[in-house]
Amino acid sequence: MPERIKSKVDDAVLVARRRSQVIGASIQLFGKRGYYATTVREIAERAGVSTGLVYQYFGDKEDILFLALQTVLDAYKERIPRATEGIEGPLMRFRAAVHAYARVIDANIDATVLAYRETKSVGRARRDIIKQKESETNALIEAHVRDCIKAGLFEKVDPELITYQIVMIAHAWALKAWHWAGRLTVEQYVDRNLALLLHPLLTERGRRENLRLVSASA
Amino acid sequence: MPERIKSKVDDAVLVARRRSQVIGASIQLFGKRGYYATTVREIAERAGVSTGLVYQYFGDKEDILFLALQTVLDAYKERIPRATEGIEGPLMRFRAAVHAYARVIDANIDATVLAYRETKSVGRARRDIIKQKESETNALIEAHVRDCIKAGLFEKVDPELITYQIVMIAHAWALKAWHWAGRLTVEQYVDRNLALLLHPLLTERGRRENLRLVSASA
Amino acid sequence: MPERIKSKVDDAVLVARRRSQVIGASIQLFGKRGYYATTVREIAERAGVSTGLVYQYFGDKEDILFLALQTVLDAYKERIPRATEGIEGPLMRFRAAVHAYARVIDANIDATVLAYRETKSVGRARRDIIKQKESETNALIEAHVRDCIKAGLFEKVDPELITYQIVMIAHAWALKAWHWAGRLTVEQYVDRNLALLLHPLLTERGRRENLRLVSASA
Amino acid sequence: MPERIKSKVDDAVLVARRRSQVIGASIQLFGKRGYYATTVREIAERAGVSTGLVYQYFGDKEDILFLALQTVLDAYKERIPRATEGIEGPLMRFRAAVHAYARVIDANIDATVLAYRETKSVGRARRDIIKQKESETNALIEAHVRDCIKAGLFEKVDPELITYQIVMIAHAWALKAWHWAGRLTVEQYVDRNLALLLHPLLTERGRRENLRLVSASA
DNA sequence: TATGAATGAGTCTTCATTCAT
DNA sequence: GATGAATGAAGACTCATTCAT
C-alpha cells in the first residue's frame, strides 16, 4: 500500500506536475552525486523552482528520494509490458521482455544506480515498499519464464532463479557500465548473456524455436 | 600505486593496529548506514577510541572510506588464492575459487554492499584505484577460467564475460541477500548457479570431470 | 581590483545592510579580542542574527575580516576629503586633513588596532589589496604636503617621509592610547606633534602663515 | 613584579636552557604566523623537543607568549645601554642610543611585530607587566633626552613626547618595513628622521654640536 | 501558491593539554 | 626528565527546514 506523501497543496493536477518536476531533477542529481551529497537547494534549482516550493509538495528530503525510487521502479513496470504487446509466441515475448528491460535500464543508468545505492537511505517501512515494487518488476519477467516452461520450450527449472539471473545481468550493465563501455552495446551484451543463459534451459523444441528467432532477427 | 594516507604517528605497528581498529568499525557502520549517515564520532565510539585519535591516523573522513574499501577488496584478493592452494585439477580449482569468493562475500555482506554503494563517494583518482583493485580480484577468477579452457574442459568462450557473470552472481548474493534469506544457503545458491552457468561451458571431457567432482562431494 | 565576496543572496540592498551589520559587529569584536579569539557565533550574536545567516553573506570567516579591514580603510579615504572641503589655503587644508585623520582614528581605535593586528591574518593576495588601500589613504595626506611645497610654504623635503611620520603619529595615538589617556586629548596630541613636525618644514612664508592660522584658531 | 611561570622541573640551569630553546622557536613562529595560527606542536618541533616537554617548562601556551614578549623587551633593555657605554657627550650618546634601538628592532622585526600584534593575546594582568617593560625601555631613551636638555643642547621640550616619537619612528620601521624595503637602509631611515626630529629641538649650542658629530661621522 | 531569507542543530576537524611509559 | 600517543572540548561551516511576505 504505497503510503501517501503529504502535500500542502490540494489541486491534484498541480501536485502531479510539481512533483514530477522535482523528482525528475532529483533522479538526475541523486543518481550522479548520491542522496546525501545532493542538497534540496540544488534539486529546486535544477527543477526551476524555489526551495520553499519543494516543501509544499514533499514532507521532507526523504520523501523526495522515496518517490524518486518509486518512479524509477514504476517506469520498469510500465515499459516491459508495453514492449511485449502484440508479440507472438512465449519465447519471442520472453526475449523481447528481457531486451526491453535492459534497454530501460540502459536509458536510465543514473536511476538504476540510484536505486542500488540509496534504497538503504529510506526508512525500514518504505524500504519494504520499494522492495515490493522491485519484486513486482521481477514478476513481469518471471511470468514469461513460466510461460516458456508451460509451452515446453524451457526445461522445468526454478523460474525464480532464472529471473534472478536475468535481473542481475541487466543490472550489472548499469552498475559496471564503465567496464564494458566502448566494447559492447547493450543489445550485444544482452544477446551474449542470453545465449549462455538459455543454453541449459532450452528443451529440444525450445532450441529449434530459439534458433529460428535468432536467425530471423539476424 | 595505492596513494599513501598520511598519519601523524610514526610507529608502523601502532599505525597498522589503530587503522584496522578504525576501519573495522567503519566497515560495519558504513555498510549498515552508509557513508554520509555515519559520523566520525560513531566510528570512534565503536572502535573504542576518541574522536581526536581518528584524525591522528587518517587525514579526513574520506580517507577512512578509501582505506575501508581497499581493505574489503584486499580481503578478497588474499582469501581466494588461499582457498585454491593444494587443490588438484583446473576444474576443481575453479569451483573452489568460486565457492571461496562467494563465502568471503557472504561473510562480509556489509562490506560488499559498502563497496557497491559508496565507491562513488570517493574522489575520481581514488575511485580508479578502487576499480583497479576490483579488476585484480576478477583476474583471480578469470585465470581459473582460462586454465579450464586450456585444459580442454571449457569451450572456447570469452573468459572475461564468464568471470563477469560469476562475479555478478556472487555479488547478487550480498546485494539481494534479503531475497533468498532462509530459502537457500550460500553453498546451495552457488551450486545451483554454477550448474546453470557451467552447462553451456563444459566440453564433453569437462562434463565427465564435473560429474565426477559433484558426485564425489555429494 | 577589490575581489568580490560571494553572497548567496541576490538583493543588493539587503546584502549591503546585512553585511554592514555583521561587519560592524566584527570590527568591535576583532578589535577588542582579535580575529582568532572571536568566534563567528559571537559576531552573529552581537549583530543580532543567526550563525547561519553570516554564511549567506560571507564565504568564510576570513571574508568577514577582509571586508572589515576594507571598511575601516574606506572610512579614512572617505572622511579625509570631506574634512578639507571648502577650506581655503594649502596649509590650512593640510592641517585640517591631519586633524581629520587623527579624529577618524580616535573615533575608531578598535578598528585601527584591528588593521594593525590582523592584516597578517588574511591571505597574501588580499593582504596586498589592503596595503594598496592603505597607500591610497596616505596619498590623500601626501597630496596636501605636495601642495604646501608647491605653494612655497614647506621646504623641499621628501613628501613621502613626511606623510609617513604623520601617519605614524596618528596611528601611535590608537596603538598606545592607554599611554596618553587622561593626559592629552587627540587635538592636543596632534597640535603638539604638528608643532614639532612643522618646525623644520616651514619656509619663512610658511612660518608666518602657520602663525596666523594657529593664533586665529586659539 | 614579573610573575613566575611554574615549571615542573627544578634544575634552574636546565629550566633556563629549555625555556630559551622554546621561546626562541616561538618568537620566530609567533612573529611570522601570529599566536593563534601557531601550534604548540610546531613550536616544539622547531625547538627540537617533544610536545610534552613544553608543558614541563610552561604552564600553558599563553605562558610561552608571555615569556616570549618579555624576552623581546628585555633584549631592548639590555642592548641599548651596551651601545652607549664609553661614549662621550650627551648628544652623541643620545644618537647612539637611537641608532642602537633601531638596529635591535631591525634585527628582530618578527619579534617587534609580535609584540605589537599579540600583546592583547595575554591576560590583563600580564599585559600590564608587558607595558611596564615597554615603559622601562622608553625610559632608557628618555634619560638621554633629559641629559641633552640639562646640557643645554635641547630646548626645554616635553621629554616624554620626544621619546614617544622616537619609539614610534623606530617601530614604524618594523611594522611597515615592506613600505621602505629596498629604498632605504635602517641607518638612512634613522638619520633622516633624526634630522627632521632634531631640527626644532636643538638649541644653538646643540646645533653646532650636532653638526660636528654628523660631519665627523660622514 | 510561490519565494527565498533566516534559522540552528549537527558535522567534521583542530589542537591545547594530559599522562602512561 | 623526556616522549608522543591519546583525549575531548570547541570552533567553523553546512544544509534541511520554516515562515513572513
Side-chain angles (χ1 to χ4, degrees):
Chain A
M1 189 71 39
E3 102 195 36
R4 286 257 163 269
I5 302 297
K6 288 276 168 60
S7 168
K8 278 168 186 155
V9 176
D10 290 326
D11 179 347
V13 179
L14 190 55
V15 170
R17 183 155 55 88
R18 290 304 199 190
R19 281 192 175 168
S20 93
Q21 227 178 323
V22 171
I23 285 171
S26 80
I27 289 175
Q28 290 175 44
L29 292 167
F30 287 161
K32 212 172 298 299
R33 296 184 212 165
Y35 175 66
Y36 287 101
T38 302
T39 68
V40 173
R41 205 186 220 224
E42 286 168 336
I43 295 171
E45 230 158 61
R46 174 161 302 211
V49 299
S50 67
T51 322
L53 182 137
V54 173
Y55 286 86
Q56 303 259 341
Y57 296 93
F58 298 85
D60 58 19
K61 195 184 173 189
E62 209 202 274
D63 280 353
I64 306 175
L65 175 60
F66 179 54
L67 281 190
L69 290 171
Q70 285 195 301
T71 303
V72 170
L73 296 175
D74 283 342
Y76 296 157
K77 240 174 57 186
E78 183 210 355
R79 288 189 214 178
I80 292 172
R82 216 196 290 160
T84 57
E85 267 168 25
I87 290 181
E88 294 288 319
L91 186 55
M92 191 62 182
R93 271 203 298 279
F94 166 78
R95 295 189 65 102
V98 174
H99 269 100
Y101 188 48
R103 246 180 287 116
V104 176
I105 281 175
D106 183 51
N108 300 281
I109 287 188
D110 278 358
T112 306
V113 172
L114 169 60
Y116 260 87
R117 288 190 68 193
E118 306 296 0
T119 298
K120 264 205 172 171
S121 301
V122 304
R124 198 118 222 26
R126 289 173 156 192
R127 190 146 72 242
D128 290 340
I129 295 174
I130 298 293
K131 285 175 179 172
Q132 176 54 29
K133 273 238 161 71
E134 223 175 295
S135 297
E136 288 169 20
T137 308
N138 291 359
L140 294 178
I141 305 278
E142 200 175 317
H144 292 292
V145 175
R146 287 183 196 282
D147 286 350
C148 286
I149 295 174
K150 254 184 238 155
L153 298 165
F154 283 2
E155 301 281 358
K156 283 181 181 158
V157 289
D158 179 353
E160 207 180 354
L161 199 63
I162 300 301
T163 303
Y164 208 66
Q165 281 208 35
I166 291 164
V167 170
M168 280 313 303
I169 286 166
H171 285 179
W173 177 258
L175 292 171
K176 305 283 175 179
W178 52 268
H179 191 101
W180 302 109
R183 290 195 279 177
L184 245 54
T185 66
V186 214
E187 307 294 348
Q188 287 173 321
Y189 174 84
V190 173
D191 276 333
R192 288 203 195 181
N193 275 288
L194 226 40
L196 285 171
L197 183 80
L198 290 178
H199 198 283
L201 286 183
L202 294 169
T203 57
E204 194 47 44
R205 262 190 57 219
R207 205 171 307 279
R208 281 199 306 273
E209 174 74 5
N210 188 47
L211 216 63
R212 204 173 53 79
L213 296 175
V214 174
S215 46
S217 78
Chain B
M1 191 70 42
E3 104 195 34
R4 285 255 163 275
I5 304 296
K6 289 271 169 62
S7 169
K8 276 167 188 156
V9 176
D10 289 324
D11 180 348
V13 177
L14 189 56
V15 170
R17 182 154 58 86
R18 289 306 199 188
R19 282 194 174 165
S20 91
Q21 220 179 330
V22 171
I23 286 172
S26 82
I27 289 175
Q28 290 176 44
L29 291 167
F30 287 161
K32 210 170 299 299
R33 294 184 213 168
Y35 175 66
Y36 288 102
T38 303
T39 69
V40 174
R41 176 181 272 235
E42 285 168 338
I43 295 171
E45 232 157 59
R46 172 159 307 210
V49 299
S50 67
T51 323
L53 179 138
V54 172
Y55 286 88
Q56 299 249 355
Y57 296 93
F58 298 85
D60 58 18
K61 195 184 172 189
E62 210 203 274
D63 279 353
I64 306 175
L65 174 59
F66 179 56
L67 281 190
L69 290 172
Q70 284 195 302
T71 302
V72 170
L73 296 175
D74 283 341
Y76 297 158
K77 239 176 56 187
E78 185 211 353
R79 291 191 213 176
I80 293 173
R82 217 196 289 159
T84 57
E85 266 168 27
I87 290 181
E88 292 289 319
L91 187 57
M92 191 62 182
R93 272 202 298 277
F94 166 79
R95 295 189 65 103
V98 175
H99 269 99
Y101 188 47
R103 245 180 287 116
V104 175
I105 282 175
D106 182 52
N108 299 282
I109 287 187
D110 278 357
T112 306
V113 172
L114 169 61
Y116 261 85
R117 290 189 68 195
E118 305 296 359
T119 299
K120 262 203 174 174
S121 301
V122 304
R124 231 253 128 308
R126 290 173 156 193
R127 190 146 73 241
D128 289 339
I129 294 174
I130 298 293
K131 284 176 179 173
Q132 176 53 30
K133 273 237 162 74
E134 225 175 295
S135 297
E136 288 167 21
T137 307
N138 291 0
L140 295 177
I141 305 279
E142 200 175 318
H144 293 293
V145 175
R146 286 181 198 284
D147 286 350
C148 287
I149 294 173
K150 251 183 244 157
L153 299 164
F154 281 5
E155 300 284 357
K156 281 179 183 158
V157 289
D158 179 352
E160 205 179 353
L161 200 64
I162 300 302
T163 303
Y164 207 66
Q165 280 207 39
I166 291 165
V167 169
M168 281 312 303
I169 287 166
H171 285 180
W173 176 258
L175 292 170
K176 306 283 176 178
W178 52 268
H179 191 102
W180 302 109
R183 290 194 280 177
L184 245 53
T185 67
V186 215
E187 306 294 347
Q188 287 173 321
Y189 174 85
V190 173
D191 276 334
R192 289 202 194 181
N193 275 290
L194 225 41
L196 285 172
L197 182 81
L198 289 178
H199 197 285
L201 286 183
L202 294 168
T203 57
E204 195 46 46
R205 262 191 54 218
R207 204 170 309 277
R208 282 199 307 272
E209 174 74 4
N210 187 47
L211 218 62
R212 206 174 51 79
L213 295 175
V214 175
S215 46
S217 79
Chain C
M1 191 70 40
E3 109 195 28
R4 287 254 162 276
I5 303 297
K6 288 271 170 62
S7 168
K8 275 168 189 155
V9 176
D10 289 324
D11 181 348
V13 178
L14 189 57
V15 170
R17 182 154 59 85
R18 289 306 200 189
R19 281 195 175 166
S20 90
Q21 221 179 326
V22 172
I23 286 172
S26 82
I27 289 175
Q28 290 175 44
L29 291 167
F30 287 163
K32 211 172 299 299
R33 294 184 214 166
Y35 175 67
Y36 288 102
T38 303
T39 68
V40 174
R41 175 183 271 236
E42 284 167 339
I43 295 172
E45 234 157 56
R46 172 159 308 209
V49 299
S50 67
T51 323
L53 179 136
V54 173
Y55 287 90
Q56 299 248 354
Y57 296 93
F58 298 85
D60 58 18
K61 195 185 171 188
E62 209 203 274
D63 280 352
I64 306 176
L65 174 60
F66 179 55
L67 280 190
L69 290 171
Q70 284 196 301
T71 302
V72 170
L73 297 174
D74 283 342
Y76 297 158
K77 240 175 56 186
E78 185 211 352
R79 290 189 213 179
I80 292 171
R82 217 196 287 159
T84 57
E85 266 168 27
I87 290 181
E88 293 289 319
L91 187 56
M92 192 62 183
R93 271 203 298 277
F94 167 79
R95 295 189 65 103
V98 174
H99 269 98
Y101 189 47
R103 244 179 289 117
V104 176
I105 282 175
D106 182 52
N108 300 282
I109 287 188
D110 279 358
T112 306
V113 172
L114 169 60
Y116 261 86
R117 290 189 67 194
E118 305 295 1
T119 298
K120 261 201 173 174
S121 301
V122 304
R124 202 110 234 15
R126 290 173 155 196
R127 191 147 71 239
D128 289 338
I129 294 174
I130 298 293
K131 284 176 179 172
Q132 176 55 29
K133 274 239 161 73
E134 222 174 299
S135 298
E136 287 168 21
T137 307
N138 291 0
L140 295 178
I141 306 279
E142 200 175 318
H144 293 293
V145 175
R146 285 181 198 282
D147 286 349
C148 287
I149 295 172
K150 254 184 239 154
L153 299 164
F154 281 5
E155 300 283 359
K156 282 181 181 154
V157 290
D158 180 351
E160 209 180 350
L161 201 64
I162 301 301
T163 303
Y164 208 68
Q165 281 207 33
I166 292 163
V167 169
M168 281 313 304
I169 288 166
H171 285 181
W173 177 258
L175 291 171
K176 305 284 175 177
W178 52 268
H179 192 101
W180 303 108
R183 290 193 278 176
L184 246 52
T185 67
V186 214
E187 306 295 347
Q188 287 174 322
Y189 174 83
V190 172
D191 277 332
R192 289 201 194 182
N193 275 289
L194 225 39
L196 287 170
L197 183 79
L198 289 179
H199 198 284
L201 286 184
L202 295 169
T203 58
E204 195 45 47
R205 261 190 56 218
R207 204 170 308 280
R208 281 199 307 272
E209 175 74 6
N210 189 45
L211 217 63
R212 206 172 53 77
L213 295 174
V214 172
S215 45
S217 80
Chain D
M1 190 70 40
E3 102 193 36
R4 287 256 163 272
I5 302 297
K6 289 275 169 59
S7 168
K8 278 169 186 156
V9 176
D10 290 324
D11 179 348
V13 178
L14 190 55
V15 170
R17 182 153 58 86
R18 290 304 200 190
R19 282 192 176 169
S20 93
Q21 226 179 324
V22 171
I23 286 171
S26 80
I27 289 175
Q28 291 175 45
L29 292 167
F30 287 161
K32 212 170 298 299
R33 295 184 213 166
Y35 175 66
Y36 287 100
T38 303
T39 69
V40 173
R41 204 184 222 223
E42 285 168 337
I43 295 172
E45 230 157 60
R46 174 161 304 210
V49 299
S50 68
T51 321
L53 181 137
V54 173
Y55 285 86
Q56 303 259 342
Y57 296 93
F58 297 86
D60 58 20
K61 195 185 173 188
E62 208 202 275
D63 281 351
I64 306 176
L65 175 60
F66 180 54
L67 281 189
L69 290 171
Q70 285 196 300
T71 302
V72 170
L73 296 175
D74 283 343
Y76 297 157
K77 240 175 56 187
E78 183 211 353
R79 289 190 214 178
I80 293 172
R82 216 196 288 159
T84 57
E85 266 168 25
I87 289 183
E88 292 290 319
L91 187 56
M92 191 62 182
R93 271 202 299 278
F94 167 78
R95 294 189 66 101
V98 175
H99 269 100
Y101 188 47
R103 245 179 288 116
V104 175
I105 281 174
D106 182 52
N108 299 282
I109 288 187
D110 278 0
T112 306
V113 172
L114 168 61
Y116 262 85
R117 289 190 68 194
E118 306 295 1
T119 297
K120 265 204 172 170
S121 301
V122 303
R124 228 250 124 319
R126 290 172 156 193
R127 190 147 73 241
D128 289 339
I129 295 174
I130 299 293
K131 284 176 178 171
Q132 177 53 32
K133 273 237 161 73
E134 225 174 296
S135 298
E136 287 169 20
T137 308
N138 291 1
L140 294 177
I141 305 278
E142 202 174 317
H144 293 292
V145 175
R146 287 181 197 284
D147 286 350
C148 287
I149 294 173
K150 255 185 237 153
L153 298 164
F154 282 4
E155 301 282 359
K156 282 179 180 156
V157 290
D158 180 351
E160 206 179 356
L161 201 63
I162 301 301
T163 303
Y164 207 66
Q165 280 206 40
I166 292 165
V167 169
M168 280 312 302
I169 288 167
H171 285 180
W173 177 258
L175 291 171
K176 305 284 174 176
W178 53 269
H179 190 101
W180 303 109
R183 290 193 281 176
L184 248 52
T185 67
V186 214
E187 306 293 347
Q188 288 173 320
Y189 174 84
V190 173
D191 276 333
R192 288 201 194 182
N193 275 289
L194 227 39
L196 285 170
L197 183 80
L198 289 178
H199 199 285
L201 286 183
L202 294 169
T203 58
E204 195 45 47
R205 261 190 56 217
R207 203 170 308 279
R208 281 201 306 273
E209 175 72 5
N210 188 47
L211 217 63
R212 207 173 52 78
L213 296 173
V214 173
S215 46
S217 80

